[in-house]
Coordinates of all heavy atoms in Angstrom, one line a residue:
M1 N 28.0 61.2 -30.1 CA 28.9 61.9 -31.0 C 29.9 62.7 -30.3 O 29.5 63.3 -29.3 CB 28.1 62.7 -32.0 CG 28.6 62.5 -33.4 SD 29.3 63.8 -34.3 CE 27.9 64.9 -34.7
I2 N 31.1 62.7 -30.7 CA 32.1 63.5 -30.1 C 31.9 65.0 -30.3 O 31.6 65.4 -31.4 CB 33.5 63.1 -30.6 CG1 34.7 63.9 -30.0 CG2 33.6 63.2 -32.1 CD1 35.3 63.3 -28.7
P3 N 31.9 65.8 -29.2 CA 31.6 67.3 -29.4 C 32.7 68.1 -30.1 O 33.9 67.8 -29.8 CB 31.3 67.7 -28.0 CG 32.0 66.8 -27.1 CD 32.1 65.5 -27.8
K4 N 32.3 69.0 -30.9 CA 33.2 69.9 -31.5 C 33.7 70.9 -30.4 O 32.9 71.3 -29.6 CB 32.5 70.7 -32.6 CG 33.4 71.2 -33.7 CD 32.7 72.2 -34.6 CE 31.9 71.5 -35.7 NZ 31.6 72.4 -36.8
L5 N 35.0 71.2 -30.3 CA 35.5 72.2 -29.4 C 35.0 73.6 -29.6 O 34.9 74.0 -30.8 CB 37.0 72.2 -29.3 CG 37.7 70.9 -28.9 CD1 39.3 71.1 -29.0 CD2 37.4 70.5 -27.4
E6 N 34.7 74.3 -28.6 CA 34.3 75.8 -28.7 C 35.6 76.6 -29.0 O 36.7 76.1 -28.7 CB 33.8 76.3 -27.3 CG 32.5 75.5 -26.8 CD 31.3 75.8 -27.7 OE1 31.2 76.8 -28.4 OE2 30.4 74.9 -27.6
A7 N 35.4 77.7 -29.6 CA 36.5 78.6 -30.0 C 37.5 78.8 -28.8 O 38.7 78.7 -29.0 CB 36.0 79.9 -30.5
A8 N 37.0 79.1 -27.6 CA 37.8 79.4 -26.4 C 38.6 78.1 -26.0 O 39.7 78.2 -25.7 CB 37.0 79.8 -25.3
E9 N 38.0 76.9 -26.2 CA 38.7 75.7 -25.9 C 39.8 75.4 -26.9 O 40.9 74.9 -26.6 CB 37.7 74.5 -25.9 CG 36.6 74.5 -24.8 CD 35.6 73.5 -25.0 OE1 35.0 73.3 -26.1 OE2 35.3 72.8 -24.0
V10 N 39.6 75.8 -28.1 CA 40.6 75.6 -29.2 C 41.8 76.5 -28.9 O 42.9 76.1 -28.9 CB 40.0 76.0 -30.6 CG1 41.1 76.0 -31.6 CG2 38.9 75.0 -31.0
S11 N 41.5 77.8 -28.6 CA 42.6 78.7 -28.3 C 43.4 78.3 -27.1 O 44.7 78.4 -27.1 CB 42.2 80.2 -28.0 OG 40.9 80.4 -28.6
E12 N 42.7 77.8 -26.1 CA 43.4 77.3 -24.8 C 44.3 76.1 -25.1 O 45.4 76.1 -24.7 CB 42.3 76.9 -23.8 CG 42.8 76.8 -22.4 CD 41.7 76.5 -21.5 OE1 40.5 77.0 -21.6 OE2 41.8 75.6 -20.6
A13 N 43.8 75.2 -26.0 CA 44.6 74.0 -26.3 C 45.8 74.4 -27.2 O 46.9 73.9 -27.0 CB 43.7 73.0 -27.0
L14 N 45.6 75.3 -28.1 CA 46.6 75.7 -29.1 C 47.8 76.4 -28.4 O 48.9 76.3 -28.8 CB 46.1 76.5 -30.2 CG 45.3 75.7 -31.3 CD1 44.7 76.7 -32.3 CD2 46.2 74.7 -32.0
A15 N 47.5 77.1 -27.3 CA 48.5 77.8 -26.5 C 49.5 76.8 -26.0 O 50.6 77.1 -25.8 CB 47.8 78.6 -25.4
T16 N 49.1 75.5 -25.8 CA 50.0 74.5 -25.3 C 50.6 73.6 -26.4 O 51.3 72.7 -26.2 CB 49.3 73.6 -24.3 OG1 48.3 72.8 -25.0 CG2 48.6 74.4 -23.2
L17 N 50.3 74.0 -27.7 CA 50.8 73.2 -28.9 C 51.4 74.2 -29.9 O 50.9 74.5 -30.9 CB 49.7 72.5 -29.6 CG 49.0 71.3 -28.8 CD1 47.7 70.9 -29.4 CD2 50.0 70.1 -28.6
P18 N 52.6 74.8 -29.5 CA 53.1 76.0 -30.2 C 53.5 75.7 -31.7 O 53.6 76.6 -32.5 CB 54.3 76.4 -29.4 CG 54.6 75.2 -28.5 CD 53.4 74.5 -28.3
D19 N 53.8 74.4 -32.0 CA 54.2 74.1 -33.3 C 53.1 73.7 -34.3 O 53.3 73.5 -35.5 CB 55.2 72.9 -33.3 CG 56.4 73.1 -32.4 OD1 57.0 74.2 -32.6 OD2 56.7 72.3 -31.6
W20 N 51.8 73.8 -33.9 CA 50.7 73.5 -34.7 C 50.0 74.8 -35.1 O 49.9 75.8 -34.4 CB 49.7 72.6 -33.9 CG 50.3 71.3 -33.6 CD1 51.2 71.0 -32.6 CD2 50.1 70.1 -34.3 NE1 51.5 69.6 -32.7 CE2 50.8 69.1 -33.7 CE3 49.2 69.8 -35.4 CZ2 50.8 67.8 -34.2 CZ3 49.3 68.4 -35.9 CH2 50.1 67.5 -35.3
T21 N 49.5 74.8 -36.4 CA 48.8 75.9 -36.9 C 47.3 75.5 -37.1 O 47.0 74.4 -37.5 CB 49.4 76.5 -38.2 OG1 49.5 75.4 -39.1 CG2 50.7 77.2 -38.0
H22 N 46.5 76.5 -36.8 CA 45.0 76.3 -36.9 C 44.5 76.7 -38.2 O 44.8 77.8 -38.7 CB 44.4 77.1 -35.7 CG 43.0 76.9 -35.6 ND1 42.2 77.9 -35.0 CD2 42.2 75.8 -35.8 CE1 40.9 77.4 -35.0 NE2 40.9 76.2 -35.5
D23 N 43.7 75.9 -38.8 CA 42.9 76.3 -40.0 C 41.4 76.4 -39.6 O 40.8 75.3 -39.6 CB 43.1 75.2 -41.1 CG 42.3 75.5 -42.3 OD1 41.3 76.4 -42.3 OD2 42.5 74.9 -43.4
P24 N 40.9 77.6 -39.2 CA 39.6 77.7 -38.7 C 38.5 77.4 -39.8 O 37.4 77.0 -39.4 CB 39.5 79.1 -38.2 CG 40.6 79.8 -38.8 CD 41.6 78.9 -39.3
V25 N 38.8 77.6 -41.0 CA 37.8 77.3 -42.1 C 37.6 75.8 -42.2 O 36.5 75.3 -42.2 CB 38.4 77.9 -43.4 CG1 37.4 77.4 -44.5 CG2 38.5 79.4 -43.4
R26 N 38.7 75.1 -42.2 CA 38.6 73.6 -42.3 C 38.2 73.0 -40.9 O 37.7 71.8 -40.9 CB 40.0 73.1 -42.8 CG 40.2 71.6 -42.7 CD 39.8 70.9 -44.1 NE 39.3 69.5 -43.8 CZ 40.2 68.5 -43.8 NH1 41.4 68.7 -44.1 NH2 39.7 67.3 -43.5
G27 N 38.5 73.6 -39.8 CA 38.4 73.0 -38.5 C 39.4 71.9 -38.3 O 39.1 70.8 -38.0
A28 N 40.7 72.4 -38.5 CA 41.8 71.4 -38.5 C 43.1 72.1 -37.9 O 43.1 73.3 -37.8 CB 42.1 70.9 -39.9
I29 N 44.0 71.3 -37.4 CA 45.3 71.8 -37.1 C 46.3 71.0 -37.8 O 46.2 69.9 -38.3 CB 45.6 71.7 -35.5 CG1 45.4 70.3 -35.0 CG2 44.8 72.7 -34.8 CD1 45.8 70.1 -33.5
R30 N 47.5 71.7 -38.1 CA 48.5 71.2 -39.0 C 49.9 71.4 -38.4 O 50.2 72.4 -37.8 CB 48.6 71.9 -40.3 CG 47.6 71.5 -41.2 CD 47.9 71.8 -42.6 NE 46.7 71.4 -43.3 CZ 45.7 72.3 -43.6 NH1 45.9 73.6 -43.4 NH2 44.6 71.9 -44.1
R31 N 50.8 70.4 -38.6 CA 52.2 70.6 -38.3 C 53.0 69.8 -39.4 O 52.7 68.7 -39.8 CB 52.5 70.0 -36.9 CG 54.0 70.2 -36.6 CD 54.4 69.8 -35.2 NE 55.8 69.9 -35.1 CZ 56.6 69.6 -34.0 NH1 56.0 69.1 -32.9 NH2 57.9 69.7 -34.1
D32 N 54.1 70.5 -39.8 CA 55.1 69.9 -40.7 C 56.3 69.3 -39.8 O 56.9 70.1 -39.0 CB 55.7 70.9 -41.6 CG 54.8 71.2 -42.8 OD1 53.6 70.7 -42.8 OD2 55.3 71.8 -43.8
F33 N 56.6 68.1 -40.0 CA 57.7 67.5 -39.3 C 58.8 67.2 -40.3 O 58.5 66.7 -41.4 CB 57.2 66.1 -38.7 CG 56.3 66.3 -37.6 CD1 54.9 66.3 -37.9 CD2 56.6 66.4 -36.3 CE1 53.9 66.4 -36.9 CE2 55.7 66.5 -35.3 CZ 54.3 66.6 -35.5
R34 N 60.0 67.4 -39.9 CA 61.2 67.2 -40.8 C 62.2 66.3 -40.1 O 62.4 66.4 -38.9 CB 62.0 68.5 -41.0 CG 61.2 69.6 -41.7 CD 61.6 69.7 -43.2 NE 60.6 70.6 -43.8 CZ 60.7 70.9 -45.0 NH1 61.7 70.5 -45.8 NH2 59.8 71.8 -45.5
F35 N 62.7 65.3 -40.9 CA 63.6 64.3 -40.3 C 64.9 64.3 -41.1 O 65.1 65.0 -42.1 CB 62.9 63.0 -40.4 CG 61.6 63.0 -39.6 CD1 60.4 63.3 -40.2 CD2 61.6 62.7 -38.3 CE1 59.2 63.4 -39.5 CE2 60.5 62.7 -37.5 CZ 59.3 63.0 -38.1
A36 N 65.8 63.4 -40.6 CA 67.1 63.4 -41.3 C 67.0 62.7 -42.7 O 67.7 63.1 -43.6 CB 68.1 62.5 -40.4
D37 N 66.1 61.7 -42.7 CA 65.9 61.0 -44.0 C 64.6 60.2 -44.0 O 63.8 60.4 -43.0 CB 67.1 60.0 -44.2 CG 67.3 59.1 -42.9 OD1 66.3 58.9 -42.1 OD2 68.4 58.6 -42.6
F38 N 64.4 59.4 -45.0 CA 63.0 58.7 -45.1 C 62.9 57.7 -44.0 O 61.8 57.5 -43.4 CB 63.0 58.0 -46.5 CG 61.7 57.2 -46.6 CD1 60.5 57.8 -46.8 CD2 61.7 55.8 -46.5 CE1 59.3 57.1 -46.9 CE2 60.5 55.1 -46.6 CZ 59.3 55.7 -46.8
N39 N 64.0 57.0 -43.6 CA 64.0 56.0 -42.6 C 63.4 56.6 -41.3 O 62.6 56.0 -40.6 CB 65.4 55.5 -42.4 CG 65.4 54.2 -41.6 OD1 64.6 53.3 -41.9 ND2 66.2 54.1 -40.6
E40 N 63.9 57.8 -41.0 CA 63.5 58.4 -39.7 C 62.0 58.9 -39.8 O 61.3 58.8 -38.9 CB 64.4 59.6 -39.4 CG 64.7 59.8 -38.0 CD 65.6 60.9 -37.7 OE1 65.3 62.1 -37.9 OE2 66.7 60.6 -37.2
A41 N 61.7 59.4 -41.0 CA 60.3 59.9 -41.2 C 59.3 58.7 -41.0 O 58.3 58.8 -40.4 CB 60.2 60.5 -42.5
F42 N 59.7 57.6 -41.6 CA 58.8 56.4 -41.5 C 58.7 55.8 -40.1 O 57.7 55.4 -39.8 CB 59.2 55.4 -42.6 CG 58.1 54.5 -43.0 CD1 57.1 54.9 -43.8 CD2 58.0 53.2 -42.5 CE1 56.0 54.1 -44.1 CE2 56.9 52.4 -42.8 CZ 55.9 52.8 -43.6
G43 N 59.9 55.9 -39.4 CA 59.8 55.5 -38.0 C 58.8 56.3 -37.2 O 58.0 55.7 -36.4
F44 N 58.8 57.6 -37.5 CA 57.8 58.5 -36.8 C 56.4 58.1 -37.2 O 55.5 58.0 -36.4 CB 58.1 60.0 -37.2 CG 57.0 60.9 -37.0 CD1 56.7 61.4 -35.7 CD2 56.2 61.3 -38.0 CE1 55.7 62.3 -35.5 CE2 55.1 62.2 -37.8 CZ 54.9 62.7 -36.5
M45 N 56.2 57.9 -38.5 CA 54.8 57.5 -39.0 C 54.4 56.2 -38.3 O 53.2 56.0 -38.0 CB 54.8 57.4 -40.5 CG 55.0 58.8 -41.1 SD 55.2 58.7 -43.0 CE 53.5 58.6 -43.4
T46 N 55.3 55.3 -38.2 CA 55.0 53.9 -37.6 C 54.6 54.2 -36.1 O 53.6 53.6 -35.7 CB 56.2 53.0 -37.6 OG1 56.6 52.9 -39.0 CG2 55.9 51.7 -37.1
R47 N 55.3 55.0 -35.4 CA 55.0 55.3 -34.0 C 53.6 55.9 -33.9 O 52.8 55.5 -33.1 CB 56.0 56.2 -33.4 CG 57.3 55.5 -33.0 CD 58.2 56.5 -32.2 NE 59.4 55.8 -31.7 CZ 60.6 55.7 -32.3 NH1 60.8 56.2 -33.5 NH2 61.5 54.9 -31.7
L48 N 53.4 56.9 -34.7 CA 52.2 57.6 -34.6 C 51.0 56.7 -35.1 O 49.9 56.8 -34.6 CB 52.2 58.9 -35.4 CG 51.0 59.8 -35.3 CD1 50.7 60.2 -33.8 CD2 51.2 61.2 -36.1
A49 N 51.2 55.9 -36.1 CA 50.2 55.1 -36.7 C 49.7 54.1 -35.6 O 48.5 53.9 -35.4 CB 50.7 54.2 -37.9
L50 N 50.6 53.5 -34.8 CA 50.2 52.6 -33.7 C 49.4 53.3 -32.6 O 48.4 52.7 -32.1 CB 51.4 51.9 -33.2 CG 52.2 51.0 -34.2 CD1 53.5 50.5 -33.6 CD2 51.3 49.9 -34.7
A51 N 49.9 54.5 -32.3 CA 49.2 55.3 -31.2 C 47.8 55.7 -31.7 O 46.8 55.6 -31.0 CB 50.0 56.5 -30.9
A52 N 47.7 56.0 -33.0 CA 46.4 56.5 -33.6 C 45.4 55.3 -33.6 O 44.2 55.5 -33.4 CB 46.6 57.0 -35.0
E53 N 45.9 54.1 -34.0 CA 45.0 53.0 -34.1 C 44.5 52.6 -32.7 O 43.3 52.3 -32.5 CB 45.8 51.8 -34.7 CG 45.0 50.6 -34.9 CD 43.8 50.8 -35.9 OE1 43.7 51.8 -36.5 OE2 42.9 49.9 -35.9
R54 N 45.4 52.7 -31.6 CA 45.0 52.4 -30.3 C 43.9 53.4 -29.9 O 42.9 53.0 -29.2 CB 46.2 52.5 -29.3 CG 46.9 51.2 -29.1 CD 47.8 51.2 -27.9 NE 48.8 52.3 -28.0 CZ 50.0 52.2 -28.6 NH1 50.3 51.1 -29.2 NH2 50.8 53.3 -28.6
A55 N 44.0 54.7 -30.3 CA 43.1 55.7 -29.9 C 41.9 55.8 -30.8 O 40.9 56.5 -30.6 CB 43.8 57.1 -29.9
D56 N 41.8 55.0 -31.9 CA 40.8 55.0 -32.9 C 40.6 56.4 -33.4 O 39.4 56.9 -33.6 CB 39.5 54.3 -32.3 CG 38.5 54.1 -33.5 OD1 38.9 53.8 -34.6 OD2 37.3 54.2 -33.2
H57 N 41.7 57.1 -33.6 CA 41.6 58.4 -34.2 C 42.8 58.6 -35.1 O 43.9 58.4 -34.7 CB 41.6 59.5 -33.1 CG 41.1 60.8 -33.6 ND1 39.9 61.1 -34.0 CD2 41.8 62.0 -33.7 CE1 39.8 62.3 -34.4 NE2 40.9 62.9 -34.3
H58 N 42.5 59.0 -36.4 CA 43.6 58.8 -37.4 C 44.0 60.1 -38.1 O 43.1 60.9 -38.4 CB 43.1 57.8 -38.4 CG 42.8 56.4 -37.8 ND1 41.5 56.1 -37.3 CD2 43.5 55.4 -37.5 CE1 41.5 54.9 -36.8 NE2 42.7 54.4 -36.9
P59 N 45.2 60.2 -38.3 CA 45.7 61.5 -39.0 C 45.4 61.5 -40.5 O 45.4 60.4 -41.1 CB 47.2 61.5 -38.7 CG 47.6 60.0 -38.6 CD 46.4 59.3 -38.0
E60 N 45.3 62.7 -41.1 CA 45.5 62.9 -42.5 C 47.0 63.2 -42.6 O 47.4 64.1 -41.9 CB 44.6 64.0 -43.0 CG 43.1 63.7 -42.8 CD 42.2 64.8 -43.2 OE1 42.7 65.8 -44.0 OE2 41.1 64.8 -43.0
W61 N 47.7 62.6 -43.5 CA 49.1 62.9 -43.6 C 49.6 62.8 -45.0 O 49.0 62.1 -45.9 CB 49.9 62.3 -42.6 CG 49.9 60.7 -42.5 CD1 49.3 59.9 -43.4 CD2 50.3 59.9 -41.4 NE1 49.4 58.6 -42.9 CE2 50.0 58.6 -41.7 CE3 51.0 60.2 -40.2 CZ2 50.4 57.5 -40.9 CZ3 51.4 59.2 -39.4 CH2 51.0 57.9 -39.7
F62 N 50.8 63.4 -45.3 CA 51.4 63.4 -46.6 C 52.9 63.4 -46.4 O 53.5 64.1 -45.5 CB 51.0 64.8 -47.3 CG 51.6 64.8 -48.6 CD1 51.1 64.2 -49.7 CD2 52.7 65.7 -48.8 CE1 51.7 64.3 -51.0 CE2 53.3 65.9 -50.1 CZ 52.8 65.2 -51.2
N63 N 53.5 62.4 -47.0 CA 55.0 62.2 -46.8 C 55.7 62.3 -48.1 O 55.3 61.7 -49.1 CB 55.2 60.8 -46.1 CG 56.6 60.3 -46.3 OD1 56.8 59.2 -46.9 ND2 57.6 61.0 -45.8
V64 N 56.8 63.0 -48.1 CA 57.7 63.0 -49.2 C 59.1 62.9 -48.6 O 59.5 63.8 -47.8 CB 57.7 64.2 -50.1 CG1 58.8 64.1 -51.2 CG2 56.3 64.4 -50.7
Y65 N 59.8 61.8 -48.8 CA 61.2 61.6 -48.3 C 61.3 61.9 -46.8 O 60.8 61.1 -46.0 CB 62.2 62.3 -49.1 CG 63.6 62.1 -48.6 CD1 64.1 60.7 -48.6 CD2 64.5 63.1 -48.3 CE1 65.4 60.5 -48.1 CE2 65.8 62.8 -47.9 CZ 66.2 61.5 -47.8 OH 67.5 61.3 -47.4
N66 N 61.8 63.0 -46.4 CA 62.1 63.3 -44.9 C 61.0 64.2 -44.3 O 61.3 64.7 -43.2 CB 63.5 63.9 -44.8 CG 63.6 65.3 -45.3 OD1 62.8 65.6 -46.2 ND2 64.6 66.0 -44.8
R67 N 60.0 64.5 -45.0 CA 59.0 65.4 -44.6 C 57.6 64.8 -44.3 O 57.2 64.0 -45.2 CB 58.9 66.5 -45.6 CG 58.1 67.7 -45.2 CD 58.5 68.9 -46.1 NE 58.2 68.6 -47.5 CZ 57.0 68.7 -48.1 NH1 56.0 69.2 -47.4 NH2 56.8 68.5 -49.4
V68 N 57.0 65.0 -43.2 CA 55.6 64.5 -43.0 C 54.8 65.7 -42.6 O 55.0 66.3 -41.6 CB 55.6 63.4 -41.9 CG1 54.2 62.9 -41.7 CG2 56.6 62.3 -42.2
E69 N 53.7 66.0 -43.4 CA 52.7 66.9 -43.1 C 51.6 66.2 -42.4 O 50.9 65.3 -43.0 CB 52.2 67.7 -44.3 CG 53.1 68.6 -45.0 CD 52.5 69.0 -46.4 OE1 51.3 69.0 -46.5 OE2 53.4 69.4 -47.2
V70 N 51.2 66.7 -41.2 CA 50.1 66.0 -40.4 C 49.0 67.0 -40.3 O 49.2 68.2 -39.8 CB 50.6 65.6 -39.0 CG1 49.4 64.9 -38.3 CG2 51.7 64.5 -39.2
T71 N 47.8 66.6 -40.7 CA 46.6 67.4 -40.5 C 45.6 66.6 -39.6 O 45.4 65.4 -39.8 CB 45.9 67.7 -41.8 OG1 46.7 68.4 -42.6 CG2 44.6 68.6 -41.6
L72 N 45.1 67.3 -38.5 CA 44.2 66.6 -37.6 C 42.9 67.3 -37.6 O 42.8 68.6 -37.4 CB 44.8 66.6 -36.2 CG 46.2 65.9 -36.0 CD1 46.7 66.1 -34.6 CD2 46.2 64.5 -36.5
T73 N 41.8 66.5 -37.8 CA 40.5 67.0 -37.7 C 39.6 65.8 -37.4 O 40.0 64.6 -37.6 CB 40.0 67.7 -39.1 OG1 38.7 68.2 -38.9 CG2 40.0 66.7 -40.2
T74 N 38.4 66.1 -36.9 CA 37.5 64.9 -36.5 C 36.4 64.9 -37.5 O 35.6 65.8 -37.6 CB 37.0 65.1 -35.1 OG1 38.1 65.2 -34.2 CG2 36.1 64.0 -34.7
H75 N 36.4 63.8 -38.3 CA 35.3 63.7 -39.4 C 33.9 63.6 -38.7 O 33.0 64.1 -39.3 CB 35.7 62.5 -40.2 CG 37.1 62.5 -40.7 ND1 38.0 61.5 -40.6 CD2 37.8 63.5 -41.3 CE1 39.2 61.8 -41.1 NE2 39.1 63.1 -41.6
D76 N 33.9 62.9 -37.6 CA 32.6 62.7 -36.9 C 31.8 63.9 -36.6 O 30.6 63.9 -36.4 CB 32.8 61.7 -35.7 CG 33.2 60.3 -36.1 OD1 33.1 59.9 -37.3 OD2 33.7 59.6 -35.2
C77 N 32.6 65.0 -36.2 CA 32.0 66.2 -35.8 C 32.3 67.4 -36.8 O 31.9 68.5 -36.6 CB 32.3 66.7 -34.4 SG 34.0 67.2 -34.1
Q78 N 33.0 67.0 -37.9 CA 33.4 68.0 -38.9 C 34.1 69.2 -38.4 O 33.7 70.4 -38.6 CB 32.2 68.4 -39.8 CG 31.7 67.2 -40.6 CD 30.5 67.6 -41.4 OE1 30.3 68.7 -41.8 NE2 29.7 66.6 -41.8
G79 N 35.1 69.0 -37.5 CA 35.8 70.1 -36.9 C 36.8 69.5 -35.9 O 37.1 68.3 -35.9
L80 N 37.2 70.4 -35.0 CA 38.3 70.0 -34.0 C 37.5 69.4 -32.8 O 36.6 70.0 -32.3 CB 39.1 71.2 -33.6 CG 40.3 71.5 -34.5 CD1 40.9 72.8 -34.1 CD2 41.2 70.4 -34.6
S81 N 38.1 68.4 -32.3 CA 37.6 67.7 -31.0 C 38.8 67.5 -30.1 O 39.9 67.6 -30.5 CB 36.8 66.5 -31.2 OG 37.7 65.4 -31.5
Q82 N 38.5 67.1 -28.9 CA 39.6 66.8 -28.0 C 40.5 65.7 -28.5 O 41.7 65.6 -28.2 CB 39.0 66.4 -26.6 CG 39.9 66.2 -25.5 CD 40.8 67.4 -25.2 OE1 40.3 68.5 -25.1 NE2 42.1 67.2 -25.0
R83 N 39.9 64.8 -29.3 CA 40.7 63.7 -29.9 C 41.9 64.2 -30.8 O 42.9 63.7 -30.8 CB 39.8 62.8 -30.8 CG 39.0 62.0 -29.9 CD 38.1 61.0 -30.7 NE 37.1 60.4 -29.9 CZ 36.0 59.8 -30.3 NH1 35.8 59.6 -31.7 NH2 35.1 59.4 -29.5
D84 N 41.6 65.4 -31.4 CA 42.7 66.0 -32.2 C 43.8 66.6 -31.4 O 45.0 66.5 -31.7 CB 42.1 67.1 -33.1 CG 41.1 66.5 -34.1 OD1 41.4 65.5 -34.8 OD2 39.9 66.9 -34.1
I85 N 43.4 67.1 -30.3 CA 44.4 67.7 -29.3 C 45.2 66.6 -28.7 O 46.4 66.7 -28.7 CB 43.7 68.6 -28.2 CG1 42.7 69.6 -28.8 CG2 44.6 69.1 -27.2 CD1 43.4 70.6 -29.8
D86 N 44.5 65.5 -28.4 CA 45.3 64.4 -27.8 C 46.2 63.8 -28.8 O 47.3 63.4 -28.5 CB 44.2 63.3 -27.3 CG 43.4 63.8 -26.1 OD1 43.7 64.9 -25.5 OD2 42.4 63.2 -25.8
L87 N 45.8 63.7 -30.1 CA 46.6 63.1 -31.1 C 47.8 64.0 -31.4 O 48.9 63.5 -31.7 CB 45.8 62.7 -32.3 CG 46.5 61.8 -33.4 CD1 47.0 60.6 -32.8 CD2 45.5 61.6 -34.5
A88 N 47.6 65.3 -31.4 CA 48.7 66.3 -31.6 C 49.8 66.1 -30.5 O 50.9 66.1 -30.9 CB 48.1 67.7 -31.5
R89 N 49.3 65.9 -29.3 CA 50.3 65.6 -28.2 C 51.1 64.3 -28.5 O 52.3 64.2 -28.2 CB 49.6 65.6 -26.8 CG 49.1 66.9 -26.4 CD 48.8 67.0 -25.0 NE 47.7 67.9 -24.7 CZ 47.8 69.2 -24.9 NH1 48.9 69.8 -25.3 NH2 46.8 70.0 -24.6
L90 N 50.3 63.2 -28.9 CA 51.0 62.0 -29.2 C 52.0 62.1 -30.4 O 53.1 61.6 -30.4 CB 49.9 60.9 -29.6 CG 49.1 60.3 -28.5 CD1 48.0 59.4 -29.0 CD2 50.0 59.5 -27.6
A91 N 51.6 63.0 -31.4 CA 52.5 63.2 -32.5 C 53.8 63.9 -32.1 O 54.9 63.6 -32.5 CB 51.8 64.1 -33.6
D92 N 53.6 64.9 -31.2 CA 54.8 65.6 -30.6 C 55.7 64.6 -29.9 O 56.9 64.7 -30.0 CB 54.4 66.8 -29.7 CG 53.8 68.0 -30.5 OD1 53.9 68.0 -31.7 OD2 53.3 68.9 -29.9
R93 N 55.1 63.7 -29.1 CA 55.9 62.8 -28.4 C 56.6 61.8 -29.3 O 57.7 61.4 -29.1 CB 55.0 62.0 -27.4 CG 54.8 62.8 -26.1 CD 54.6 61.8 -24.9 NE 53.3 61.2 -24.9 CZ 52.2 61.8 -24.5 NH1 52.3 63.0 -24.0 NH2 51.1 61.1 -24.6
A94 N 55.8 61.3 -30.4 CA 56.5 60.4 -31.3 C 57.6 61.1 -32.1 O 58.6 60.4 -32.3 CB 55.4 60.0 -32.3
F95 N 57.5 62.4 -32.3 CA 58.6 63.1 -32.9 C 59.8 63.1 -32.0 O 61.0 62.8 -32.5 CB 58.1 64.5 -33.2 CG 59.2 65.4 -33.9 CD1 59.5 65.1 -35.2 CD2 59.7 66.5 -33.2 CE1 60.5 65.9 -35.8 CE2 60.6 67.3 -33.8 CZ 61.0 67.0 -35.1
D96 N 59.6 63.4 -30.8 CA 60.7 63.5 -29.8 C 61.4 62.1 -29.7 O 62.6 62.0 -29.6 CB 60.3 63.9 -28.4 CG 59.8 65.4 -28.5 OD1 60.3 66.2 -29.4 OD2 59.1 65.8 -27.6
A97 N 60.5 61.0 -29.6 CA 61.0 59.7 -29.5 C 61.8 59.3 -30.7 O 62.9 58.6 -30.6 CB 59.9 58.7 -29.3
T98 N 61.4 59.7 -31.9 CA 62.1 59.4 -33.2 C 63.5 60.1 -33.2 O 64.5 59.4 -33.5 CB 61.3 59.9 -34.4 OG1 60.0 59.2 -34.3 CG2 62.0 59.5 -35.6
K99 N 63.5 61.3 -32.8 CA 64.8 62.1 -32.7 C 65.7 61.4 -31.7 O 66.9 61.3 -31.9 CB 64.5 63.5 -32.4 CG 63.8 64.3 -33.4 CD 64.6 64.4 -34.7 CE 64.0 65.3 -35.6 NZ 64.9 65.4 -36.8
G100 N 65.1 61.0 -30.6 CA 65.9 60.4 -29.5 C 66.5 59.1 -29.8 O 67.5 58.6 -29.2
A101 N 65.9 58.4 -30.8 CA 66.3 57.1 -31.1 C 67.5 57.0 -32.1 O 68.0 56.0 -32.5 CB 65.1 56.3 -31.7
R102 N 68.0 58.2 -32.5 CA 69.0 58.3 -33.5 C 70.3 57.5 -33.0 O 70.7 57.7 -31.9 CB 69.4 59.7 -33.7 CG 69.0 60.2 -35.1 CD 69.5 61.6 -35.2 NE 68.6 62.3 -36.2 CZ 68.5 63.6 -36.4 NH1 69.2 64.4 -35.6 NH2 67.6 64.0 -37.2
Ligands
LIG201 N1 39.7 59.6 -37.2 C1 39.4 61.0 -37.4 N2 40.4 61.8 -37.7 N3 38.2 61.4 -37.3 C2 37.1 60.6 -37.0 O1 36.0 61.1 -37.0 C3 37.4 59.2 -36.9 C4 38.7 58.8 -37.0 N4 36.4 58.4 -36.7 N5 39.0 57.5 -36.9 C5 36.7 57.0 -36.3 C6 38.0 56.5 -36.8 C7 35.5 56.2 -36.7 O2 35.3 56.2 -38.1 C8 35.5 54.7 -36.3 C9 34.3 53.9 -36.8 O3 35.5 54.7 -34.9

């Protein structure tokens, strides 16, 4: 089973993910992404979906038009794991790639 991150490991990782907020009760991290329009938002979701499937680790997300709220948590350990940190970095990269593709 994938281990849950210790509190110190979470703070250390979050220091390198400044756009993400921590929900310690849920054991999750969140980021809101904004785009020019739905087309761009869905391009981001497509990029992240493919990366998530390759990693076998999947986001919880909510999309309305140009906004995508992403929540990352690991169901297998009911909290944050290294997989969430890795997926957060992939999401940040997918966001930059989406913006760069304009
Ligand atoms: N995604 C997330 N966010 N948490 C998990 O625990 C998880 C997952 N487990 N994707 C994976 C799939 C597991 O269900 C499969 C069987 O590997």
